Amino acid sequence: MRILQILSIVAGLVTMATGVVAAEYRLHISLETPPTHIRNVSIVQFAEKLKQRSGGRLDVKVFHAASQYKGSNVPVALAQGALDMGVPGTWHLGKLVPEAGAPILPMFYGVDPDTFHRIWDGKAGDVLIAKIEDKIRVKVIGKALDLGYGTIFTTKDKIAKPQQIAGMKMRTPGGAATVYRYKGLGANPVSIPFPDLPQALQRGTVDGFMSNQEAVRSAKLWDAGVKYALETREAFYQYLPMIGLPTWNKYPKDIQDMIIATWGESIDNMRKTVLETQIKAREINAQNGIVTTFGAQADLDAARQTLMAQQPKIVEELGIDPAFMTMLKAEANK
């Protein structure tokens, strides 16, 4: 016993001398995209800043490429306390919170980022976050991280307008609103996790998919046969940073405040970086043989009108609260 006491004292003295502080709390973050993806790069920077600011009190680690959880499984893992933090796409939340599908309804087809941010960083976003926090049992730590506009990619057929996907098997990232949108344009939507997409493309399981330029670049999907892209500006996608309440409630207030402040100080620059990265990714994809076509505004407007006729049915089938839609339309019209 005497020896153990001496060893304990020595260990304490070494810790004091080296300035090393043992972590008191843990924050493990799961992402389904690869380490080179802009989401991962942004979250790693956030994690490093948070770890440094905590002075070692917070053990922050980022797990990439769905090594822990696929995006669709993140919300439940957070609620159960099996995972500390996730930054899932809002499309993964629709099954639990129908209103989470609203940002990709037809009414937002072609909306510019500034307008989109005005709406979803404001009252509409606050109401949605409150619903998500209550239903999923998470703490949303700040504004959403942008992913950017959805783009159509194909392996064989070059298309010049969204109507030409009719009859094609199209992979979607999930989310009922996206599925309805593709059905509305005559395509056959197939939900496939992103890590499984390269194999699906090579096997011909799908003819194309909806994603974004950066995701294609980071996964080098030209190696899986991607040759063409059509910029449709059909939906603006975001990731929502959230920590499960089983984890959040373990933190003292100073750690909670530190996490929220660090995210708040980082998000505007992260959004700017994402926009720049998407543009650069398009250039790199072009260098690797992917030809991008920009949809004509008349074709995009026609597609939007086709889908807007179906929006009431989509809202009803998704189960979105009518009162929420009334508020959302009012915010969009301001």
Side-chain angles (χ1 to χ4, degrees):
M1 181 65 70
R2 178 68 176 171
I3 293 175
L4 292 175
Q5 289 176 337
I6 293 173
L7 290 175
S8 178
I9 293 172
V10 171
L13 291 173
V14 170
T15 297
M16 292 174 62
T18 58
V20 176
V21 178
E24 302 174 56
Y25 306 98
R26 189 190 79 174
L27 183 64
H28 287 181
I29 309 169
S30 177
L31 304 173
E32 69 172 342
T33 37
T36 55
H37 191 278
I38 186 58
R39 170 172 56 172
N40 300 56
V41 173
S42 297
I43 299 304
V44 166
Q45 292 174 349
F46 162 74
E48 290 300 321
K49 186 182 297 185
L50 188 58
K51 186 188 302 182
Q52 183 178 12
R53 179 172 289 185
S54 76
R57 293 176 64 200
L58 198 57
D59 173 32
V60 189
K61 293 181 181 178
V62 181
F63 295 85
H64 307 276
S67 61
Q68 285 200 331
Y69 294 95
K70 293 180 179 179
S72 58
N73 297 330
V74 164
V76 173
L78 291 172
Q80 293 176 341
L83 174 65
D84 301 325
M85 178 175 174
V87 195
T90 54
W91 56 92
H92 286 311
L93 307 177
K95 290 183 179 180
L96 299 171
V97 183
E99 290 75 20
I104 50 178
L105 285 172
M107 63 185 289
F108 293 107
Y109 197 109
V111 171
D112 64 89
D114 288 342
T115 300
F116 192 89
H117 287 150
R118 175 184 64 77
I119 296 169
W120 291 107
D121 287 347
K123 180 180 178 180
D126 291 341
V127 174
L128 176 59
I129 286 172
K131 288 178 177 289
I132 289 171
E133 290 183 329
D134 178 65
K135 183 68 174 181
I136 305 180
R137 297 184 64 246
V138 296
K139 172 63 180 179
V140 176
I141 63 171
K143 295 191 294 187
L145 173 65
D146 293 345
L147 172 59
Y149 282 114
T151 296
I152 295 174
F153 295 89
T154 55
T155 55
K156 297 179 181 179
D157 299 322
K158 181 180 179 179
I159 59 176
K161 54 185 180 179
Q163 293 82 353
Q164 290 177 327
I165 66 172
M168 297 177 67
K169 294 176 293 184
M170 298 294 296
R171 177 265 178 183
T172 71
T178 302
V179 171
Y180 282 119
R181 183 166 68 251
Y182 276 81
K183 285 184 176 179
L185 293 175
N188 301 310
V190 181
S191 181
I192 298 175
F194 192 83
D196 300 334
L197 180 57
Q199 188 176 62
L201 292 168
Q202 292 169 336
R203 289 182 174 181
T205 304
V206 291
D207 303 309
F209 59 99
M210 194 282 299
S211 187
N212 64 89
Q213 297 281 358
E214 166 57 16
V216 169
R217 181 211 63 80
S218 65
K220 298 182 178 180
L221 289 182
W222 51 79
D223 289 337
V226 176
K227 296 179 181 179
Y228 306 107
L230 174 64
E231 295 283 7
T232 56
R233 292 186 286 114
E234 59 190 70
F236 194 78
Y237 290 90
Q238 294 185 307
Y239 299 113
L240 202 58
M242 54 182 67
I243 298 176
L245 285 186
T247 296
W248 183 255
N249 291 336
K250 293 178 182 177
Y251 297 148
K253 189 175 185 303
D254 67 312
I255 292 291
Q256 293 178 342
D257 291 344
M258 182 190 308
I259 292 172
I260 291 174
T262 303
W263 184 268
E265 294 166 8
S266 305
I267 185 59
D268 288 343
N269 187 59
M270 286 194 289
R271 284 179 170 180
K272 178 182 178 183
T273 300
V274 166
L275 177 60
E276 295 171 348
T277 300
Q278 290 288 5
I279 295 173
K280 180 64 177 178
R282 187 190 302 134
E283 297 172 355
I284 295 174
N285 290 339
Q287 293 167 8
N288 286 277
I290 299 178
V291 178
T292 295
T293 300
F294 291 84
Q297 191 60 50
D299 293 328
L300 302 185
D301 290 343
R304 181 175 182 275
Q305 289 303 315
T306 296
L307 296 172
M308 279 300 296
Q310 298 186 18
Q311 180 162 296
K313 178 182 178 182
I314 294 173
V315 168
E316 181 180 357
E317 293 196 26
L318 291 178
I320 297 177
D321 183 1
F324 181 85
M325 284 304 302
T326 299
M327 177 275 298
L328 180 58
K329 291 176 182 178
E331 291 297 303
N333 289 332
K334 284 185 178 178

